[in-house]
Amino acid sequence: MQVVKLSLNKANKIPIEADTVTPDNFAGKTKEEIEAILVWYGNGQCPLGDFFTVEVEGSDSAENTKIVFEGNVSRVKRIGQGMSAGEIEINGNVDMHCGFAMKGGKIVINGDADSWLGCEMKDGEIILNGNASYYVGSGYRGESCGMRGGKITINGNARDYLGEHMCGGEILVTGNVGLLPAISNNGGTIVIEGNATMPASEMKNGTVIIKGEISDMLPSYKEDGTEEVEGVTYRKFVGDVNAGGKGMLLIK
Amino acid sequence: MRMSEILIKNANVCDPAQGINCETMDLCIRDGKIVESVSESAEVIDAAGRLTMAGGFDGHTHSAGKINVGRFMNPNDARRTLVPGLSGPEARTEKTRAQVGYNTPNTYAIGYRYAKLGYTTICEAAIPMLAARHTHEEFKEIPILDKMGLSLFGSNWQVMEYVRDKEPEKLAAYVAWGLKASRGYGVKIVNAGGGEAWGWGKNVSGLYDPVPNFDVTPAEILMGLAEANEKLQLPHSVHVHCNNLGKPGNYETTIETMKMFEKVKPTVDRQALHVTHVQFNAYAGTSWRDFETGAPMVADYLNGANHLTFDLGQVIFGPAVTMTADGPVEYANSRMLHEKWSNQDIELEDASGVVPLSYSPKSFINAVQWAIGIELALLVEDPWKIMFTTDSPNGGSFVNYPEAFTYLMSAKKREQVISGFGKMALDRMVLPGLDRELSFYELAIMTRSMQSKMYSRPEKGNLKVGSDADVAIYDIITSDIDPSVEHEKVKQAFSGAAYTLKDGNIVVKDGKIEATPMGRTYWVNAKVPADIDSAMNKDTDIKFKKYYTVSKSNYMVEDSYLPNPVEIRTEGAF
Ligand SMILES: [Zn+2]
């Protein structure tokens, strides 16, 4: 087991783009080697050691590497981008694009996450013990497929466009979500335990379950009997008819 | 421009304009021009026997203006890295600005990447006159390259009225005015009349289908504009995107259009007609079900005709973005492919659309489209009639040119691609039976030499004494390489020139940008007798008063938009 602790020396105003901070990239590296890893800072690149105090215990493969951020990293973006194994734990708030396109492993955030959490994720797991901002598990701007696999659990609320263009995988939100969750999605499952507004607009495929209240239910859905999921019976809607969709929207 | 001398030693020169076929010699450059000799103090570049050509000239590309709609529709294109070194995000360096994109790169990347391919001149294929300022704003930000653009006239109200009312002199005066207003170089006609019909949700179905409310046919518009083009003695012929583009069976309309121009007498020593991206207009069959290549029929006609040039519009597999003033075609594309669609109405002038798509070798239609471009290049015997293009980014991004060159130069490379096609595709093309392989000499004709005559730019596309010192040196020893077998080497060499010189400045060295001087913008100022000009202007004033959303003074592109203009004056034959 290798454990790497990173603590931010001083809160930064200009964002740090930390797409190189992954277990894959840290595995087997010494403190000095990790300090020397470059991250983008504004329009230039700087070594990680310029911003963080790095502590390393042990040396191991990516699967057995854990990165721990102590405190807020609210202006550090792209943590865990493309990671395939291992674990990242963030004990504080995190900036945008955390877990972007991750392929495996696990990210646990004990704080809030800014937009694009788990965007284009392919596999692995993200657990957010806090609130999420916009575009959780969505696609990159202009892309027709967002999250394809893996699971995102949000133990809190999420803002608008949750799971936009999602094609696979699972998102669970224990709290409420904002506008247009599951917009244009084409697969996967989204479960919202709280309330939602205008869900599943232009959905082509996939399943959306909303256990709380719905505001502004879209008229472009066809009611089609009921469906039982885990012992609970929901009203079943099929659509979005506007997009020729065959998605399933289950509501109370 | 700095006063300087350069001696390129041991250049293996391929310059078809002078009939020089891979002969090793020295090239002399002074003050940005090719000269007979230079002094002892000249800077020496040792070409070491490598292939040397004039700078490439892409005479039909969508690189400024409408491409911006493609950019904002496809922000995801910014991160595409399909062609290493020529696509995707690249941070700024001391010499270059930040770059992004593949099909719709940012303006700086367009300049750098063309230069890396050894290209030094481009022609933007479609300037909507109303939006010409935008085109020139983008030109300003495309470094290195010399630029020109073709202005759209094919669905313009005033054009159609003059054609209908049989006022050829006023029509010529309007074309001259339009070129000046948009600082354009030539006349582009896209699906003549179709843009106006599209305003009514319709299209024109062929050369003799009248345009709604104007009582003129596409054939009349084409002939009227050709006459005006020749009356004005413009350096380029009319540049035509035929009617019925992208429809099975359209090869007949294409040949009919070409035939119609046999009677046009050019007043300048060049072709009477340029037909663009013929791949999209050489389809046989009656529907997408029995769709097949029409290239043999089109090539057969072209082999017997001497009044025209054409370009390929070669397809590249992978993502592309179609962008054209052919509004109805883009609507059809987006419905058929369930793709994003953008449409623009250019008031009294045209329509346009942008739709992203992806060409797949698994689709028999796409496979046949891919084959048609190559078939045209191989079946037409005379390379001087052919300009190599992908209609970038309609058939694919220009950064794929080196890949496409290997399709033309290597039957083995073609076999490799064709081996991935299904039987249905193979039955609908003639390419597998073609074994012709183009030489470097023929490739040079299609990528730079023919453009010189086609656009009447004698100082471009050749290495004659007096020509612009735009030179590309590629890491190829022609006597040691068999492009048929070593196609990968050919592709590598064309993907990053050993040297590109622009006006005698080294802009690329070993595939890296060395300097980014600002290129020129060519535009045509055609002389029209004053009385005809003022009569035409009265009609134009009415159009602005009654219909346009802008005033005439705000419509004209001002000099300040062209930091480095080259005004080409023509005398006219009224
Ligand atoms: Zn074009």
Side-chain angles (χ1 to χ4, degrees), chain B residues 60-62 125-126 188 239 241 276-277 311 323-324 391-392 394:
Chain B
H60 187 114
T61 172
H62 300 265
K188 175 81 181 293
H239 193 112
H241 157 140
T276 190
H277 41 66
D311 65 88
M323 46 186 71
T324 168
D391 189 16
S392 179
N394 283 277

Side-chain angles (χ1 to χ4, degrees), chain B residues 191-218:
Chain B
N191 184 14
E196 175 54 26
W198 178 234
W200 303 93
K202 299 192 175 86
N203 197 356
V204 288
S205 63
L207 284 167
Y208 305 104
D209 185 13
V211 181
N213 307 312
F214 280 90
D215 196 27
V216 288
T217 62

Side-chain angles (χ1 to χ4, degrees), chain A residues 204-222:
Chain A
K204 291 203 190 78
N205 226 323
T207 303
V208 178
I209 303 173
I210 296 168
K211 301 188 179 180
E213 298 287 315
I214 291 183
S215 308
D216 300 330
M217 171 77 180
L218 293 162
S220 50
Y221 269 83
K222 241 179 20 210

Side-chain angles (χ1 to χ4, degrees), chain B residues 279-280 313-317 319-322 359 390-397:
Chain B
Q279 176 275 125
F280 292 111
Q314 176 61 36
V315 157
I316 303 292
F317 290 122
V321 189
T322 59
Y359 297 106
T390 60
D391 189 16
S392 179
N394 283 277
S397 169

Side-chain angles (χ1 to χ4, degrees), chain A:
Chain A
M1 189 73 193
Q2 177 177 348
V3 178
V4 182
K5 279 192 186 157
L6 299 173
S7 17
L8 196 60
N9 299 330
K10 199 174 127 224
N12 56 312
K13 215 167 169 188
I14 296 171
I16 295 168
E17 304 252 344
D19 56 326
T20 47
V21 175
T22 59
D24 306 73
N25 202 23
F26 280 16
K29 289 202 169 92
T30 63
K31 171 178 154 71
E32 288 72 29
E33 285 169 330
I34 291 170
E35 282 171 346
I37 288 173
L38 294 175
V39 290
W40 282 95
Y41 180 62
N43 61 5
Q45 282 176 300
C46 300
L48 197 60
D50 283 9
F51 308 105
F52 289 94
T53 301
V54 179
E55 286 173 53
V56 181
E57 273 171 43
S59 177
D60 213 327
S61 60
E63 304 83 78
N64 297 315
T65 295
K66 181 173 179 179
I67 302 171
V68 182
F69 283 92
E70 296 297 356
N72 287 335
V73 278
S74 333
R75 295 301 277 152
V76 184
K77 298 176 177 176
R78 297 184 187 272
I79 292 172
Q81 175 163 325
M83 68 187 269
S84 69
E87 192 180 336
I88 298 179
E89 182 182 303
I90 301 166
N91 294 309
N93 301 334
V94 67
D95 204 352
M96 298 196 288
H97 291 110
C98 182
F100 181 104
M102 71 187 277
K103 299 190 281 281
K106 185 173 169 185
I107 298 178
V108 179
I109 303 159
N110 297 311
D112 296 340
D114 209 330
S115 301
W116 308 101
L117 176 71
C119 159
E120 296 194 345
M121 177 171 179
K122 295 181 181 74
D123 207 345
E125 192 179 3
I126 296 176
I127 298 167
L128 174 66
N129 295 313
N131 299 320
S133 192
Y134 302 98
Y135 290 104
V136 172
S138 72
Y140 186 92
R141 284 269 190 244
E143 214 61 80
S144 58
C145 190
M147 180 173 178
R148 291 165 195 263
K151 183 172 183 183
I152 301 176
T153 304
I154 298 171
N155 293 312
N157 304 322
R159 300 180 86 159
D160 308 342
Y161 312 116
L162 177 97
E164 177 251 24
H165 274 121
M166 180 175 179
C167 293
E170 246 184 291
I171 299 177
L172 168 67
V173 184
T174 61
N176 303 322
V177 304
L179 289 171
L180 297 162
I183 182 168
S184 296
N185 67 348
N186 196 11
T189 303
I190 295 178
V191 179
I192 296 161
E193 297 191 338
N195 308 329
T197 305
M198 277 194 269
S201 156
E202 296 185 349
M203 166 157 75
K204 291 203 190 78
N205 226 323
T207 303
V208 178
I209 303 173
I210 296 168
K211 301 188 179 180
E213 298 287 315
I214 291 183
S215 308
D216 300 330
M217 171 77 180
L218 293 162
S220 50
Y221 269 83
K222 241 179 20 210
E223 186 153 12
D224 184 23
T226 57
E227 182 96 0
E228 204 183 291
V229 181
E230 288 166 2
V232 185
T233 304
Y234 297 92
R235 288 169 69 189
K236 178 183 169 186
F237 288 82
V238 178
D240 182 331
V241 175
N242 274 345
K246 296 178 182 62
M248 186 163 70
L249 173 60
L250 304 180
I251 65 175
K252 282 279 178 71

